Amino acid sequence: MHISLTLNSVLDRVDYSSFDGDLGVRRITGVASLEEAKQGDATFVASSKYLDQLNGSFASLAIIPEDLEVTPKAGQLFLRVKNPSIEIAKLCEMISQEMWSKPPAGIHRFADISPTASIHPTATIGAFVTVAAGAEVGPGCVIGSGSYIGVGCKLDENCFLSARVTLERDTVLGARVRLHSGVVLGSDGFGYEFEGGRHRKVPQVGSVQVGDDVEIGANTTVDRGRFGPTRIGEGSKIDNLVQVGHNVTVGKHNILCSQVGIAGSTKLGDYVVMGGRAGASGHLTIGSGAQLSGQCVAFSDLEGGAKYGGAPAVPLVAYQRITVVTRKLPELFKRLNKLEAQLLEAH
Amino acid sequence: MHISLTLNSVLDRVDYSSFDGDLGVRRITGVASLEEAKQGDATFVASSKYLDQLNGSFASLAIIPEDLEVTPKAGQLFLRVKNPSIEIAKLCEMISQEMWSKPPAGIHRFADISPTASIHPTATIGAFVTVAAGAEVGPGCVIGSGSYIGVGCKLDENCFLSARVTLERDTVLGARVRLHSGVVLGSDGFGYEFEGGRHRKVPQVGSVQVGDDVEIGANTTVDRGRFGPTRIGEGSKIDNLVQVGHNVTVGKHNILCSQVGIAGSTKLGDYVVMGGRAGASGHLTIGSGAQLSGQCVAFSDLEGGAKYGGAPAVPLVAYQRITVVTRKLPELFKRLNKLEAQLLEAH
Amino acid sequence: MHISLTLNSVLDRVDYSSFDGDLGVRRITGVASLEEAKQGDATFVASSKYLDQLNGSFASLAIIPEDLEVTPKAGQLFLRVKNPSIEIAKLCEMISQEMWSKPPAGIHRFADISPTASIHPTATIGAFVTVAAGAEVGPGCVIGSGSYIGVGCKLDENCFLSARVTLERDTVLGARVRLHSGVVLGSDGFGYEFEGGRHRKVPQVGSVQVGDDVEIGANTTVDRGRFGPTRIGEGSKIDNLVQVGHNVTVGKHNILCSQVGIAGSTKLGDYVVMGGRAGASGHLTIGSGAQLSGQCVAFSDLEGGAKYGGAPAVPLVAYQRITVVTRKLPELFKRLNKLEAQLLEAH
């Protein structure tokens, strides 16, 4: 990445309480971790734990906690801030805006737009994109190369679809939805009736409805409802390679990490967190604020506001105790054998 | 979705024994669950368990069990049937046919068709589709936008490929195969020989052969055989994000739920069912009619006609007992400590 | 596949010590397993274990171990070799080169190439490919149909991208990298700060850097670093549907089987092997030569040069013992109940 930020533009954006030292370069040309930073780079320190690494770092600019006792080397500038993690994020956002600057509005000559589709004049349609009949693409949307927007889809303003995203027909996106490459929304739910030795398809005539500010990771799939919608609530964030089954409701502001799987008709409340490869079987209710650790799978309803582990899921503390004692199982068997021998002897 | 069905067209299709009440609207304009149904919608009741919800529902048409004792409200029509689930599926199929009505035959102007490929005149080739040398696309096939049909692939009649499907070279599809967006059939199997500190690729020169009436979900991958085919048997249904390794044989009429993984050379019999994220390691035989519950993983051969749970898989009943007692492990250790103390004291 | 190899071309390539019998056909027209081979096919025998199958095989040519005592049937030729598995691989490589012969260099008329991109004249750009601003495609690269090469990507020589591969901006590929269909490199890492009841995106401004001779399977995803790169080391092989999180370092010559997941910032040493659906949580170090069996998940650092099983990962031998005794848990409870009753009685 080719970045070039002036110190003034950085100082305008970052919320600092004081600063120390002198930037030894004309411009900030990168952002890197303490260890990988070279001259010209900005970096940050989350806590005093990383003091040694800061002392060894070649970064030109470091965003550090207010109370960290440390002096910059020559040609180094330290910005003292309340929350370094949030302030470095602002800096990255400046870079991010430079990196993914909005492409000019318009429709690529190699796009295939139905005459009954409606594309807002401020939207950008990339190469090899299909927009099917009756679809509506809102103001400021960017549709990446090779994406497919099916019949009757509706995209609210400023959605960003990366390359090769599929929206099957009737998918509805709120404002500022961000979909990464390979996402498929609205594929058929997995439903069959067994009849005469064959699996007969149960038609899936529902849809997928995605709230404002949702982000969905690469190659994740969300099936359409059998009838009625599969819903992803406002502000929820979904990582790569996640499966969301038909008629699932994901509440607002959920976090679903990579490889999570949610089977059909399950309802997640708001602020649910599911760690990597966590899951839930079908027709369950997971209460608001429930947190499932990595690999934790719910096979029955879970109350909100609590942490869970294991598969089947149990309260996290219980899971941790079970994990510890499970490792001692071979020892347990030995102790039991000994006890039995002693008792036998005693009689 | 914009649906408009006359009552007569519904009565022609649904197998009802009697009816009650009057449809208060001119046309059926949607299908929904009991709770989400509004005026104009059809719905269904699976059993008497849902009687309260039926009484509270705004549906105009309800398909209900023959023996359910209930009277429609004004403007509501009840159709009494043997199997409500099957009859609502027929209704959804009518809607489905309206939603995914067959596009007109022909080849899109933005398609890339090899001069040696053979496309049946009744087939439909979408925008940005590649059909490579020697490939054959049969009567009535629909190839969605952005799909890729490799060298020498053969598609029998009425296959449906959604947008962005990949068939690598020599893939063979039976009749009426349905592939969802992002499916990849025929990627190289994962095989290497370790030689001189490096992994040397074992060429994968087999193929993928898919039987009639198979359906495969979004972003699922099936690798080509090392040599000889990887096979998906007639009538099998595979959900999203499933991995099928090289030289696997999936038998007929299997059900593989989302995130299942089958390692190389494993053979599944007919009517095998694998729940969500179930799996099998390589070179195994899973007998016909075996049912693996969600998360169950076979590490050795499994006999057919039985249910399994756990990883490694054990008979389901054993797994359920193990699961129950595992939760009591911390208690078990306490009891053991107590016993040991008592015995020590006794001596 | 339509293969036609002369016996001489086979004898030129395979390292045999002696041969027996006569090829009953003019040409080798396929490769198959012992059981599936028909006249014209070549096959191989790994060890004396398969002697019965060899006797029943219709293969015209068999590559067999030097010391196997067996006589060919009429019209069968046996090549005796040191390592049959390696020699059949050479034969398959000949076939493979015929199957995937390099397409002619050049840019397809339906490709979308930025005027500031640089495409080497010996590279092949397929239909519906986008190559964005500043990207560089090296000598001999083949970019499959529908692939997307983002801004500033750099591909060294002889990379092979199958159909529908996505490289997000600033992705760097070494020489001879092979990416299967549906791969996404450089999607945003999954990072948010929780602020005022909402998940605020942490910009992901790093990149993905892939070493020489890496191969990555269908629909696998590798996220870009938050800042700094996510790295896949030289010679590593990654299977289908794998997730590699942001700022992960995969060392050299790793093997990651299907459905593996590696959470953010974890570092894998060299020659690490992860079986199917193995995993590692974030910010861990997995030592060189560590081998995680299928489904094994590291929740803490693992030392190199050892084998592990279970989730959380423990040494493989311990895991195997735990697995055995876990199955006996219901019995254990019964024995404990009995002991307690005996002691109660004794007092």
Side-chain angles (χ1 to χ4, degrees):
Chain A
M1 70 187 153
H2 305 284
I3 296 162
S4 178
L5 300 173
T6 63
L7 179 57
N8 278 345
S9 69
V10 172
L11 296 181
D12 280 358
R13 190 69 168 270
V14 171
D15 223 359
Y16 62 98
S17 6
S18 67
F19 60 88
D20 242 348
D22 279 296
L23 191 69
V25 291
R26 280 167 170 269
R27 282 167 174 263
I28 298 300
T29 50
V31 178
S33 66
L34 280 166
E35 286 153 315
E36 304 208 59
K38 50 190 191 312
Q39 216 192 25
D41 283 344
T43 191
F44 83 112
V45 177
S47 76
S48 57
K49 237 177 42 177
Y50 301 99
L51 194 53
D52 280 359
Q53 286 170 49
L54 175 59
N55 284 325
S57 179
F58 298 106
S60 294
L61 175 75
I63 294 176
I64 67 175
E66 281 179 337
D67 55 354
L68 194 67
E69 291 184 19
V70 60
T71 317
K73 287 177 278 194
Q76 254 184 352
L77 180 70
F78 287 177
L79 294 184
R80 298 180 183 277
V81 307
K82 276 228 173 66
N83 187 332
S85 185
I86 283 177
E87 300 306 327
I88 193 81
K90 288 182 191 165
L91 193 58
C92 289
E93 215 169 286
M94 292 172 69
I95 295 170
S96 165
Q97 278 160 12
E98 213 175 289
M99 282 172 74
W100 286 277
S101 62
K102 191 142 186 160
I107 297 172
H108 196 282
R109 69 193 160 105
F110 284 148
D112 174 39
I113 313 293
S114 161
T116 63
S118 144
I119 314 278
H120 195 274
T122 61
T124 307
I125 309 290
F128 318 123
V129 168
T130 295
V131 184
E136 300 174 16
V137 177
C141 286
V142 176
I143 311 297
S145 290
S147 291
Y148 173 82
I149 313 291
V151 171
C153 290
K154 292 194 186 346
L155 286 71
D156 204 340
E157 60 178 24
N158 293 312
C159 290
F160 176 86
L161 277 62
S162 190
R164 304 198 302 99
V165 168
T166 296
L167 305 185
E168 298 285 4
R169 63 166 293 163
D170 295 320
T171 298
V172 176
L173 304 185
R176 298 169 302 280
V177 168
R178 194 175 165 91
L179 305 178
H180 289 278
S181 187
V183 162
V184 178
L185 305 185
S187 39
D188 280 1
F190 194 63
Y192 302 90
E193 294 272 351
F194 193 62
E195 226 188 19
R198 304 183 74 84
H199 301 289
R200 177 191 166 134
K201 184 172 176 69
V202 175
Q204 306 287 317
V205 301
S207 65
V208 171
Q209 295 185 6
V210 177
D212 294 347
D213 298 304
V214 165
E215 180 161 11
I216 300 182
N219 285 347
T220 281
T221 57
V222 181
D223 280 349
R224 65 173 55 245
R226 175 180 173 183
F227 36 76
T230 302
R231 289 191 177 94
I232 312 291
E234 177 195 336
S236 282
K237 311 297 184 183
I238 301 182
D239 201 353
N240 300 351
L241 293 170
V242 169
Q243 153 73 356
V244 179
H246 54 171
N247 292 105
V248 164
T249 297
V250 173
K252 295 180 182 175
H253 308 296
N254 282 17
I255 292 281
L256 307 185
C257 293
S258 180
Q259 297 181 330
V260 156
I262 319 267
S265 300
T266 283
K267 288 188 196 319
L268 310 180
D270 299 336
Y271 297 105
V272 170
V273 176
M274 296 180 73
R277 210 181 280 160
S281 57
H283 297 274
L284 301 183
T285 300
I286 310 293
S288 288
Q291 299 195 2
L292 286 73
S293 59
Q295 304 256 130
C296 172
V297 180
F299 286 112
S300 54
D301 290 354
L302 296 181
E303 281 188 32
K307 295 184 178 184
Y308 299 91
V314 293
L316 186 59
V317 175
Y319 167 68
Q320 286 164 338
R321 281 170 54 208
I322 290 167
T323 301
V324 168
V325 296
T326 298
R327 292 192 188 177
K328 296 187 191 161
L329 269 182
E331 174 213 318
L332 184 81
F333 269 83
K334 282 183 197 155
R335 286 165 61 188
L336 191 67
N337 289 340
K338 198 173 150 192
L339 273 181
E340 286 173 341
Q342 285 178 335
L343 258 181
L344 203 64
E345 207 176 283
H347 286 267
Chain B
M1 68 187 157
H2 304 286
I3 296 163
S4 178
L5 301 173
T6 64
L7 179 58
N8 278 345
S9 68
V10 172
L11 296 181
D12 281 357
R13 191 69 167 270
V14 172
D15 223 359
Y16 62 96
S17 4
S18 66
F19 61 88
D20 242 348
D22 280 295
L23 191 71
V25 292
R26 280 164 171 272
R27 283 166 175 264
I28 298 299
T29 49
V31 178
S33 67
L34 280 165
E35 285 153 314
E36 303 208 60
K38 49 189 193 309
Q39 213 191 26
D41 284 344
T43 191
F44 84 113
V45 177
S47 76
S48 57
K49 237 176 43 176
Y50 301 99
L51 194 53
D52 279 0
Q53 286 170 51
L54 175 59
N55 284 325
S57 178
F58 298 107
S60 295
L61 175 74
I63 294 176
I64 68 175
E66 283 179 337
D67 55 353
L68 194 69
E69 291 185 19
V70 60
T71 316
K73 286 178 280 195
Q76 254 183 349
L77 181 69
F78 288 177
L79 293 184
R80 297 180 183 276
V81 308
K82 276 228 173 66
N83 187 332
S85 185
I86 284 177
E87 300 307 327
I88 192 81
K90 288 183 192 164
L91 192 58
C92 288
E93 216 169 286
M94 293 173 69
I95 295 171
S96 165
Q97 278 160 11
E98 211 174 291
M99 282 172 75
W100 286 277
S101 62
K102 191 142 187 160
I107 297 174
H108 196 281
R109 70 195 159 104
F110 284 148
D112 174 40
I113 313 293
S114 161
T116 64
S118 145
I119 314 278
H120 194 274
T122 59
T124 307
I125 309 290
F128 318 122
V129 167
T130 295
V131 184
E136 299 174 16
V137 178
C141 286
V142 176
I143 311 297
S145 291
S147 290
Y148 173 81
I149 313 291
V151 171
C153 290
K154 292 193 187 346
L155 286 71
D156 203 339
E157 60 177 26
N158 294 312
C159 290
F160 175 87
L161 278 61
S162 189
R164 305 198 301 99
V165 168
T166 295
L167 305 185
E168 298 284 3
R169 63 166 294 163
D170 296 320
T171 299
V172 176
L173 305 185
R176 297 169 303 279
V177 168
R178 195 175 164 91
L179 305 178
H180 289 278
S181 187
V183 163
V184 178
L185 305 185
S187 40
D188 280 2
F190 194 64
Y192 302 89
E193 293 272 352
F194 194 62
E195 225 188 21
R198 302 184 74 86
H199 301 288
R200 178 191 166 134
K201 184 173 177 69
V202 174
Q204 306 286 318
V205 300
S207 65
V208 172
Q209 295 184 6
V210 178
D212 294 346
D213 298 305
V214 166
E215 178 161 13
I216 301 182
N219 284 347
T220 280
T221 58
V222 181
D223 280 349
R224 65 174 54 243
R226 175 180 175 184
F227 35 77
T230 303
R231 289 191 177 94
I232 312 290
E234 178 195 335
S236 283
K237 311 297 183 184
I238 301 182
D239 201 353
N240 299 351
L241 293 170
V242 169
Q243 153 73 357
V244 179
H246 54 170
N247 293 104
V248 164
T249 297
V250 173
K252 295 180 180 174
H253 308 295
N254 282 18
I255 291 281
L256 307 185
C257 293
S258 180
Q259 297 183 329
V260 157
I262 319 269
S265 299
T266 283
K267 288 188 197 320
L268 310 181
D270 299 335
Y271 297 105
V272 171
V273 176
M274 296 180 73
R277 211 182 278 161
S281 57
H283 298 274
L284 302 183
T285 300
I286 310 292
S288 288
Q291 300 196 0
L292 286 74
S293 58
Q295 303 255 128
C296 172
V297 179
F299 285 113
S300 55
D301 290 354
L302 296 182
E303 282 188 31
K307 294 184 178 184
Y308 300 91
V314 292
L316 186 60
V317 174
Y319 167 67
Q320 286 164 338
R321 281 170 54 207
I322 291 167
T323 301
V324 168
V325 296
T326 299
R327 292 193 189 178
K328 295 186 191 161
L329 270 181
E331 174 213 317
L332 183 82
F333 270 83
K334 281 184 197 155
R335 286 165 61 189
L336 191 67
N337 290 341
K338 198 173 151 192
L339 273 182
E340 285 173 340
Q342 285 179 336
L343 258 182
L344 203 65
E345 207 176 283
H347 285 267
Chain C
M1 70 189 155
H2 304 285
I3 296 163
S4 178
L5 301 173
T6 64
L7 180 57
N8 279 345
S9 68
V10 172
L11 296 181
D12 280 357
R13 190 70 168 270
V14 171
D15 224 358
Y16 62 97
S17 4
S18 67
F19 60 88
D20 243 348
D22 280 296
L23 192 70
V25 292
R26 279 164 171 272
R27 283 167 173 265
I28 299 299
T29 49
V31 179
S33 67
L34 280 166
E35 287 153 315
E36 304 208 58
K38 50 191 193 309
Q39 214 191 25
D41 283 344
T43 191
F44 83 114
V45 177
S47 77
S48 58
K49 237 177 42 177
Y50 301 99
L51 195 54
D52 279 359
Q53 286 170 50
L54 175 59
N55 284 325
S57 177
F58 298 107
S60 295
L61 176 74
I63 294 176
I64 67 175
E66 282 179 336
D67 55 354
L68 194 67
E69 291 184 18
V70 61
T71 317
K73 287 176 280 195
Q76 255 184 348
L77 181 69
F78 287 176
L79 294 183
R80 297 179 184 277
V81 307
K82 275 229 174 66
N83 187 332
S85 185
I86 283 178
E87 300 306 328
I88 192 81
K90 288 182 190 164
L91 192 58
C92 289
E93 215 169 284
M94 293 172 68
I95 295 171
S96 164
Q97 277 160 12
E98 212 175 290
M99 282 173 75
W100 286 277
S101 61
K102 192 145 185 156
I107 297 174
H108 196 280
R109 69 195 161 103
F110 284 148
D112 174 40
I113 313 293
S114 161
T116 64
S118 144
I119 315 279
H120 195 274
T122 60
T124 308
I125 309 290
F128 318 124
V129 168
T130 295
V131 183
E136 300 174 16
V137 178
C141 287
V142 176
I143 312 297
S145 290
S147 289
Y148 173 82
I149 313 291
V151 172
C153 290
K154 291 192 187 348
L155 286 71
D156 204 338
E157 60 176 28
N158 294 311
C159 290
F160 175 85
L161 278 62
S162 190
R164 304 198 300 100
V165 168
T166 295
L167 305 185
E168 298 284 4
R169 64 167 292 164
D170 295 319
T171 298
V172 176
L173 305 185
R176 297 170 303 280
V177 168
R178 195 176 164 90
L179 305 179
H180 289 278
S181 187
V183 162
V184 178
L185 305 185
S187 40
D188 280 2
F190 194 63
Y192 302 90
E193 294 272 352
F194 193 62
E195 227 190 18
R198 304 183 74 84
H199 301 288
R200 177 189 166 136
K201 185 172 177 70
V202 175
Q204 305 286 316
V205 300
S207 65
V208 172
Q209 294 184 9
V210 177
D212 294 347
D213 298 305
V214 166
E215 178 161 11
I216 301 182
N219 285 347
T220 280
T221 58
V222 180
D223 280 349
R224 64 174 55 244
R226 176 181 173 182
F227 36 77
T230 302
R231 288 190 178 94
I232 311 291
E234 177 194 335
S236 283
K237 310 298 182 182
I238 301 182
D239 200 354
N240 300 352
L241 292 170
V242 169
Q243 153 73 354
V244 178
H246 54 170
N247 293 103
V248 164
T249 296
V250 173
K252 294 180 181 175
H253 309 295
N254 282 17
I255 292 280
L256 308 186
C257 294
S258 179
Q259 296 182 329
V260 156
I262 319 268
S265 299
T266 283
K267 288 187 197 321
L268 309 180
D270 299 335
Y271 297 105
V272 171
V273 177
M274 296 180 74
R277 211 181 278 162
S281 56
H283 297 275
L284 302 183
T285 300
I286 310 293
S288 288
Q291 300 195 359
L292 286 74
S293 59
Q295 304 256 129
C296 172
V297 180
F299 285 113
S300 55
D301 290 354
L302 296 182
E303 282 188 31
K307 295 185 177 183
Y308 300 91
V314 293
L316 185 60
V317 175
Y319 166 67
Q320 286 163 338
R321 281 170 54 208
I322 290 166
T323 301
V324 169
V325 296
T326 299
R327 292 193 189 176
K328 296 187 191 161
L329 269 182
E331 174 213 318
L332 184 82
F333 270 83
K334 281 185 198 154
R335 285 164 62 188
L336 192 68
N337 290 340
K338 198 173 151 190
L339 273 181
E340 285 174 341
Q342 285 179 335
L343 259 181
L344 203 65
E345 207 176 283
H347 285 267

